[in-house]
Amino acid sequence: MSGHSTYEPKWAAARWMDQRLPIVRMGADFIMMPTPRNLNYWWTFGGILLLCLVIQIVTGVILGMHYVAHVDHAFDSVQRIRRDVPYGWLMQSTHAVGASMFFLAVYMHMFRGLYYGSYKAPREVLWIIGCLIYLVMMATAFLGYTLPWGQMSFWGATVITGFFGAVPVVGESLQQWLLGGYAVDNATLNRFYSLHYLLPFIIAALSGLHVWALHVTGSSNPIGVSNKVKTDTLPFHPYFTVKDMFAVAVFLMIFAFFLFYLPDALGHADNYIKADPLKTPPHIVPEWYFLPFYAILRAVPDKLAGILLMIGAIAVLFVLPWLDTSKVRSMRFRPIARWFFFIFVFFCFILGWCGAETPDDEAFLGLSFYRLSQISTLYYFAYFLVILPILGLIEDPKERPASITQSILDYGDKPEPEKVLAPAE
């Protein structure tokens, strides 16, 4: 728990403001929040994600000043930003690469939560808010992908919005309402641009709720044991701010490498061709961070069933706290569950691979990508709906430390190997 506030204003102006709008107190309470002392670098992705959100909002607002949301001018306006606007190339590349870095960090953050059981009580609401952020991120990224109005932008929008037409009874009306007409056109681009501009601020608001929920329940930790004594925690500042700053520096170096040396490596070459409604690309694929869900969508021949599977793949994350029946949070003490988790991560990568390839092509050993995506999809859902519920009831976990402090002391008390002294000369 976050505990009682220890902030004391030192100046008259600060006391005056604190009595009327204690925003400084909220910030001070957060940076001094008691934090489990055994957090490792997997817990630094929260700060990295905050940085990514700020970068995307700032660069997005600047790009929005020069972008023209019209089917006849959108593609050219993006090229003008890159070529003629001062430092426009930097803003546009930062925004494009930043989207990939944002999703890379959020996937690392989510896998960490899955491994260490950060979704378990009392952090269910914290996890659900995180899933909402991820859902809005996906919507924002899809809308943004359509704005350059290249071939992949146009045909990606055509394919994805076409899925709404598969909804029984209201599908056709829903699709026309979303498009603003009978096909992807100027009205569609205007709507997508408006929503793409709005949704990042929704993400920021949800992130505030996420931090608030974290402040109430406290952070999870690698051993999954709740804070029991005062020595289990340290103030967030300066101990963990320094660790976060180091992780951010490493992340920014990776970011800068892609930004300055491989700015287009994570995109698709066809998006540098202006949208042509009369010429369909041979292979329509989404951005890399959507590929696993795209593979799940194509894992069944029926369009509606594919849509339901794709929606279910995201929806199952929201109910995960109630699907995992184990009383032990961290998989450090669940050796069988740990292996199933590693297999799950492996199949997530396989789904991404399948989503990037043509379904009928051969993957290996005569197995097509279509069949491989079906196997991977089956394991994806089995992991959440079968393996975790059953494993929590039958697995015998390892003995856990009595407290965080005890785990650190036990680790530190391990005897060092005897050193053999060299003979004196």
Side-chain angles (χ1 to χ4, degrees):
M1 298 293 289
S2 56
H4 182 69
S5 176
T6 58
Y7 171 71
E8 291 293 338
K10 296 181 179 179
W11 299 282
R15 288 192 292 271
W16 182 88
M17 177 60 74
D18 189 59
Q19 293 170 359
R20 290 157 178 81
L21 183 65
I23 189 169
V24 177
R25 176 182 294 275
M26 292 171 60
D29 288 346
F30 176 75
I31 64 172
M32 299 305 294
M33 181 178 69
T35 306
R37 65 190 304 148
N38 62 338
L39 297 191
N40 55 37
Y41 277 100
W42 290 110
W43 266 260
T44 60
F45 283 97
I48 289 171
L49 286 167
L50 177 61
L51 174 66
C52 288
L53 178 61
V54 172
I55 289 173
Q56 291 304 98
I57 290 177
V58 171
T59 56
V61 169
I62 295 172
L63 291 173
M65 298 175 184
H66 302 278
Y67 177 77
V68 180
H70 192 283
V71 292
D72 294 331
H73 307 294
F75 183 84
D76 295 330
S77 71
V78 173
Q79 299 309 309
R80 189 179 69 84
I81 290 170
R82 292 180 64 92
R83 298 167 188 268
D84 299 334
V85 175
Y87 296 101
W89 64 270
L90 182 61
M91 292 294 104
Q92 195 275 335
S93 295
T94 301
H95 197 70
V97 173
S100 289
M101 294 296 107
F102 205 170
F103 273 94
L104 175 64
V106 84
Y107 283 136
M108 301 295 284
H109 195 58
M110 292 172 69
F111 280 131
R112 188 269 297 168
L114 290 171
Y115 182 82
Y116 289 111
S118 299
Y119 50 84
K120 290 179 176 287
R123 299 179 182 88
E124 300 95 333
V125 173
L126 178 67
W127 174 262
I128 290 172
I129 295 172
C131 291
L132 284 173
I133 294 172
Y134 176 57
L135 189 62
V136 180
M137 275 183 63
M138 294 178 75
T140 307
F142 163 68
L143 296 170
Y145 190 50
T146 65
L147 299 186
W149 212 242
Q151 276 287 77
M152 280 297 159
S153 298
F154 176 83
W155 288 102
T158 301
V159 170
I160 298 301
T161 54
F163 293 146
F164 290 90
V167 178
V169 183
V170 298
E172 186 176 348
S173 299
L174 182 64
Q175 183 182 4
Q176 291 178 11
W177 173 79
L178 182 66
L179 295 176
Y182 294 99
V184 176
D185 208 340
N186 200 56
T188 312
L189 183 60
N190 273 279
R191 292 177 183 211
F192 284 10
Y193 175 57
S194 178
L195 290 172
H196 181 69
Y197 203 97
L198 168 68
L199 290 183
F201 298 99
I202 304 297
I203 295 174
L206 288 171
S207 298
L209 285 177
H210 195 61
V211 172
W212 186 7
L214 175 67
H215 191 74
V216 171
T217 63
S219 178
S220 59
N221 62 84
I223 64 172
V225 176
S226 300
N227 305 333
K228 296 179 180 178
V229 293
K230 189 174 182 180
T231 54
D232 283 349
T233 62
L234 291 170
F236 184 77
H237 177 76
Y239 298 99
F240 297 100
T241 51
V242 171
K243 180 177 281 190
D244 280 2
M245 288 170 62
F246 176 76
V248 164
V250 174
F251 179 80
L252 287 177
M253 287 190 285
I254 300 171
F255 194 121
F257 173 78
F258 280 96
L259 175 61
F260 294 113
Y261 292 99
L262 298 169
D264 302 315
L266 300 174
H268 199 287
D270 282 3
N271 227 29
Y272 282 95
I273 303 172
K274 192 172 184 178
D276 184 354
L278 301 179
K279 185 178 180 181
T280 307
H283 185 36
I284 301 172
V285 292
E287 290 282 67
W288 69 266
Y289 37 80
F290 291 145
L291 289 176
F293 299 102
Y294 189 56
I296 292 174
L297 175 72
R298 300 187 308 181
V300 291
D302 183 69
K303 182 189 288 188
L304 180 59
I307 294 170
L308 293 176
L309 278 177
M310 184 177 67
I311 294 172
I314 301 170
V316 73
L317 297 174
F318 285 84
V319 295
L320 177 58
W322 296 276
L323 293 175
D324 189 350
T325 56
S326 176
K327 302 298 181 184
V328 178
R329 294 191 183 106
S330 177
M331 289 190 185
R332 275 191 179 184
F333 308 101
R334 302 178 60 192
I336 301 175
R338 184 164 60 240
W339 279 109
F340 279 111
F341 172 78
F342 290 147
I343 296 171
F344 170 77
V345 174
F346 171 75
F347 275 114
C348 286
F349 280 100
I350 294 297
L351 281 170
W353 181 33
C354 292
E357 303 294 335
T358 304
D360 295 331
D361 288 350
E362 181 180 339
F364 58 86
L365 300 177
L367 195 67
S368 68
F369 283 104
Y370 175 70
R371 191 65 64 192
L372 187 59
S373 64
Q374 288 182 323
I375 296 171
S376 303
T377 300
L378 181 63
Y379 187 86
Y380 181 95
F381 284 100
Y383 178 76
F384 292 113
L385 301 176
V386 179
I387 295 172
L388 286 181
I390 295 177
L391 204 58
L393 300 175
I394 64 175
E395 185 180 21
D396 186 20
K398 294 181 180 179
E399 184 179 355
R400 291 172 293 164
S403 67
I404 295 173
T405 303
Q406 189 61 47
S407 70
I408 296 172
L409 293 175
D410 290 344
Y411 181 81
D413 288 341
K414 290 181 179 178
E416 296 183 0
E418 295 183 6
K419 296 181 180 178
V420 178
L421 299 177
E425 296 181 359

